Amino acid sequence: MQRLATVNCSGPNLLHITFDDGHVSQYDQAFSALQELSMKATFFVTAGWTGKRPGYMTWEQLAELARCGHEVQSHGWSHTLLTRCSVKELQIELSRSKSDLEDHLGAKVNAISLPGGRWNTRVLEACRESGYEQVFTSDPWMVSEDVMGLQIAGRWMVTRNMNAQRIHFLLEGKGATLYLLRARHFAKETAKLVFGDSAYRSLWRMLANKDKSQEDARIASDSARRPQA
Ligand SMILES: [Zn+2]
C-alpha cells in the first residue's frame, strides 16, 4: 500500500484503485489502510448483496466510505454475468443496482464494473441506456477509450498471492510481470471458451484454492486513470 501511495503521489491521478463485490474485508482492512495513506478508491458493490448477504458490507458501511471521499459504484444487482442476461434481466442488473445505490447513498452512480469481466456490444448498449458513463472491465491490456458513448477501461488485478516486488513491477509497467499477467489472462480466456464458464470456474477455484469470500483489488491500467474531477 505504501508503494501504491508513493506512485499515486508522483503525478496527478496516476492510479485508480478499485475493489469489486463489496466484501466486508474491504471495509475492515482496505478502508483503514487507504485512510492512513490519504488515498481514495472506488468500491464497486453488488447492490443486491448489500446488507443482506453475510460477509458483505452494509449500507451504513458504504455510506461511511462515501462520506470519506471514496466512490461507491455498481457491480450489478446479483453478480450475474451480464452477457448471459435477457433484456429484462439486464434491466434489473443495471438499472436496479444503480437506482438502489443512488437512493441509499444519495450520490450519482455512473460507473459499473462488469461481473466476471464479461462484456459484449449488447451489454455496452444496455449500460449506456441505463445511464452509465464509465465501464470497467478486467482486461489488462485494454487502454481507456470511448466506445459507443461510454468510457471503457481495463484493469490489472492484484491478488493476495502477489508479493510487493511483483506489484512494484506492475506499477512500473516493466519486467516480465506484465507479460506474465497478460499471458495468464489470455490463458484464462481461452480456458473459458474451451471448457465453458461453469467448468472453468470449478477448475480455477480448485487450482487457485480460491476462497469465494475473498475478493481481489484491481488497479486500473495506466491509461485508465481516475478522471479529473
Ligand atoms: Zn465480482
Side-chain angles (χ1 to χ4, degrees):
M1 285 299 289
Q2 183 61 57
R3 177 62 190 154
L4 288 176
T6 304
V7 172
N8 202 43
C9 289
S10 64
N13 304 306
L14 192 60
L15 289 178
H16 189 173
I17 299 172
T18 71
F19 296 87
D20 280 3
D21 298 321
H23 192 263
V24 74
S25 62
Q26 295 163 12
Y27 177 84
D28 291 338
Q29 295 168 33
F31 179 32
S32 56
L34 289 165
Q35 291 300 101
E36 207 171 297
L37 296 165
S38 300
M39 296 176 71
K40 303 301 177 200
T42 299
F43 294 83
F44 290 102
V45 301
T46 306
W49 295 354
T50 303
K52 293 178 185 157
R53 187 163 172 157
Y56 289 82
M57 284 188 274
T58 64
W59 289 112
E60 291 74 21
Q61 290 169 330
L62 292 180
E64 190 179 348
L65 293 177
R67 272 198 304 276
C68 290
H70 301 285
E71 284 191 39
V72 179
Q73 300 282 354
S74 176
H75 192 44
W77 176 256
S78 67
H79 208 275
T80 302
L81 300 182
L82 299 180
T83 47
R84 291 182 169 187
C85 287
S86 65
V87 173
K88 188 169 175 51
E89 288 166 339
L90 268 180
Q91 159 83 10
I92 293 170
E93 291 297 326
L94 298 173
S95 297
R96 189 175 175 188
S97 62
K98 185 177 189 300
S99 60
D100 222 36
L101 287 166
E102 288 177 340
D103 290 347
H104 276 91
L105 302 173
K108 186 174 170 61
V109 170
N110 61 0
I112 184 167
S113 157
L114 303 171
R118 306 305 167 79
W119 61 281
N120 55 28
T121 53
R122 189 173 73 97
V123 167
L124 294 186
E125 271 173 11
C127 288
R128 189 189 56 211
E129 285 166 11
S130 298
Y132 291 99
E133 296 163 12
Q134 285 184 295
V135 174
F136 288 78
T137 73
S138 301
D139 299 339
W141 68 86
M142 181 175 274
V143 295
S144 183
E145 58 180 334
D146 291 332
V147 179
M148 297 166 58
L150 294 162
Q151 187 192 21
I152 315 285
R155 293 178 296 174
W156 290 100
M157 184 163 69
V158 176
T159 71
R160 56 192 160 145
N161 297 324
M162 293 174 74
N163 61 27
Q165 186 185 38
R166 207 163 170 202
I167 294 172
H168 171 86
F169 283 140
L170 182 62
L171 293 170
E172 294 294 322
K174 64 184 183 185
T177 298
L178 294 184
Y179 298 103
L180 197 66
L181 289 173
R182 282 193 178 114
R184 193 171 152 193
H185 181 84
F186 280 117
K188 283 166 68 176
E189 292 305 304
T190 304
K192 285 175 198 169
L193 285 174
V194 172
F195 298 115
D197 277 322
S198 300
Y200 164 77
R201 288 170 82 86
S202 303
L203 182 68
W204 186 67
R205 284 199 183 110
M206 187 179 75
L207 292 174
N209 192 25
K210 180 176 170 59
D211 179 349
K212 278 177 77 176
S213 67
Q214 293 294 323
E215 304 305 326
D216 299 318
R218 288 174 171 80
I219 301 173
S221 57
D222 282 349
S223 53
R225 293 164 190 163
R226 180 188 291 272
Q228 300 283 346

